[in-house]
Amino acid sequence: MRKEGNHNMKQKLEQIKAEAMEALGGVSASDALEQLRVKYLGKKGEITAILKQMGGLSAEERPVIGQLANQIRAEIEQAIAQQSKRLEAAALAARLELETVDVTIPGQTRKIGMKHPMYQVLDQIKDIFIGMGFEVVEDREVELAEYNFDKLNETEGHPAREWSDTFYFTEDSKILLRTQTSPMQIHVMERQKPPIRMVAPGRVYRKDEVDATHSPMFHQIEGMVIDKGITMADLKGTLSQVARQLYGEQTVTRFRPHHFPFTEPSCEMDIQCYKCHGAGCSTCKGEGWIELLGAGMVHPKVLEGCGIDSSVYSGWAFGFGLERLALAYFKISDLRLIFENDVRFLEQF
Ligand code: DAH
């Protein structure tokens, strides 16, 4: 019976080993591996159970079985350690695979905005005037009728003062949204002694219905030079040079007589059509010329009203609509596109 016990226990140990090795070979997760460790080597494990039975063995048999049990436990421990290493390596490899960065995948591009085409033109115009020693000034859009009209020699009864054309804030027609940038002439002359060289871009407002060429809000640039001995020749020379810098060296300008209350004499400046060079085409509507701006010699009444002695000083001024200029510059057919800010439109410039 003792011999049989010995034999049985040996067999049992060998069987445990075979089973354990097989189970370990097929293990694929670390928690399953831990379960196997507990099953075979744990306190209530199978090897421990065998060792607990050793009390029934003879003194000779005990060391033999004990040695065998320890050896098998060591082998199983080793196998577990090996599998544990293998599983760790596999897990690492899987994580690396998962976290691989494919540098060939196109990145998410950020949309970068750009300057509105009209402000691109404005920047160019400012640069040209700054290069000629002009100062850029900006000021209020809510204006007194006194500055928008009276001090510019647009007296009571002038058609531009009509309620139907102007956004007034008050019943007495004294406060309004400026209808032109020309009041900037007055502000600058009132706070600055000549010599003056300034340009003043900004928004202006008129009661116009929106269509392809009109908007109740649009932009103008005003400009003015006041000094001793300034003549119409300075006006023509300077504005022609600006046109050449804006539209190209070969640009031809012409000046036609006109009327503005705040200048005397007054004129309008055209440029010869940059597309057909005067022959007449769709860009210039068959005229051969494109109207660019209004200008003139600052009226002595306007100078005197600002405390500038018109017998000592003279000057010239101009004003034009920025949208219209940008439309022509970029060959855009509809004013509304300038204000709608559709990105598909803006991206083209
Ligand atoms: N203020 C005028 C307008 O809105 C434009 C203008 C014409 C401005 C002649 C000037 C000028 O300074 O001299 O139509």
Side-chain angles (χ1 to χ4, degrees):
M1 159 148 177
R2 273 185 183 166
K3 264 216 147 83
E4 215 185 352
N6 179 3
H7 186 67
N8 273 348
M9 283 170 85
K10 254 189 176 169
Q11 240 185 5
K12 191 79 209 278
L13 280 168
E14 294 294 348
Q15 197 189 328
I16 290 171
K17 177 184 163 183
E19 258 181 44
M21 291 306 178
E22 196 189 329
L24 285 171
V27 84
S28 63
S30 58
D31 52 348
L33 186 65
E34 175 60 13
Q35 277 170 20
L36 290 178
R37 192 190 64 75
V38 171
K39 179 173 183 211
Y40 292 107
L41 307 179
K43 273 186 196 157
K44 292 176 183 165
E46 295 190 12
I47 302 259
T48 316
I50 296 286
L51 292 172
K52 276 181 184 160
Q53 293 169 19
M54 291 219 316
L57 294 175
S58 68
E60 309 92 67
E61 288 166 334
R62 227 176 278 155
V64 179
I65 294 300
Q67 203 187 1
L68 182 65
N70 281 336
Q71 187 198 322
I72 286 174
R73 150 178 270 165
E75 284 176 38
I76 294 174
E77 271 174 355
Q78 205 192 346
I80 287 175
Q82 263 177 19
Q83 284 298 69
S84 170
K85 262 194 190 161
R86 193 183 61 80
L87 288 179
E88 261 174 44
L92 181 65
R95 232 181 84 188
L96 286 174
E97 170 88 9
L98 201 73
E99 293 175 6
T100 304
V101 174
D102 182 349
V103 294
T104 65
I105 292 174
Q108 285 184 328
T109 49
R110 278 191 194 196
K111 274 211 164 183
I112 295 178
M114 35 84 74
K115 213 157 211 172
H116 189 286
M118 196 183 70
Y119 282 92
Q120 292 178 35
V121 178
L122 177 58
D123 279 353
Q124 277 192 48
I125 294 166
K126 280 185 190 171
D127 279 351
I128 293 169
F129 278 104
I130 289 168
M132 293 176 161
F134 284 63
E135 183 192 354
V136 178
V137 289
E138 283 181 46
D139 214 309
R140 70 211 78 182
E141 292 168 23
V142 175
E143 194 49 277
L144 296 173
E146 190 188 350
Y147 284 77
N148 195 84
F149 295 127
D150 297 288
K151 285 169 176 277
L152 287 162
N153 198 29
E154 290 186 31
T155 42
E156 293 288 347
H158 192 281
R161 300 184 72 138
E162 295 285 327
W163 270 74
S164 55
D165 295 335
T166 304
F167 293 103
Y168 285 102
F169 287 97
T170 48
E171 285 290 329
D172 60 7
S173 309
K174 284 196 168 147
I175 303 173
L176 46 78
L177 283 173
R178 67 180 179 189
T179 63
Q180 50 187 354
T181 45
S182 300
M184 285 303 296
Q185 295 184 26
I186 309 299
H187 289 300
V188 172
M189 282 191 281
E190 282 188 349
R191 65 177 178 231
Q192 214 171 309
K193 294 258 160 295
I196 294 168
R197 282 176 184 75
M198 69 87 170
V199 284
R203 292 190 187 91
V204 299
Y205 304 84
R206 290 180 195 176
K207 279 189 184 167
D208 281 325
E209 295 294 329
V210 174
D211 65 21
T213 53
H214 292 88
S215 158
M217 186 281 290
F218 59 103
H219 296 71
Q220 285 187 334
I221 295 197
E222 195 76 14
M224 185 178 69
V225 173
I226 310 281
D227 205 347
K228 289 175 181 159
I230 299 290
T231 70
M232 192 87 183
D234 298 304
L235 180 162
K236 291 175 76 176
T238 309
L239 292 178
S240 296
Q241 179 56 24
V242 170
R244 282 193 291 271
Q245 281 189 239
L246 204 54
Y247 289 97
E249 219 20 71
Q250 68 297 330
T251 305
V252 181
T253 53
R254 96 178 165 187
F255 294 82
R256 286 177 288 103
H258 202 78
H259 171 76
F260 298 105
F262 35 88
T263 45
E264 183 58 37
S266 305
C267 62
E268 280 189 330
M269 182 178 91
D270 304 332
I271 57 165
Q272 198 171 61
C273 180
Y274 41 79
K275 213 165 174 196
C276 65
H277 302 289
C281 68
S282 61
T283 299
C284 58
K285 297 186 186 75
E287 296 280 324
W289 296 87
I290 298 168
E291 183 195 313
L292 220 56
L293 53 81
M297 299 306 291
V298 180
H299 200 294
K301 265 194 185 169
V302 174
L303 291 174
E304 297 290 340
C306 299
I308 293 176
D309 186 343
S310 63
S311 67
V312 179
Y313 291 102
S314 54
W316 57 271
F318 70 89
F320 60 85
L322 197 52
E323 282 83 358
R324 246 191 27 172
L325 193 105
L327 291 185
Y329 194 83
F330 287 116
K331 305 180 177 57
I332 300 164
S333 58
D334 195 316
L335 178 66
R336 286 165 287 200
L337 291 166
I338 291 277
F339 299 116
E340 279 164 2
N341 289 332
D342 186 326
V343 174
R344 292 166 300 180
F345 165 75
L346 295 176
E347 272 174 348
Q348 298 171 41
F349 305 97

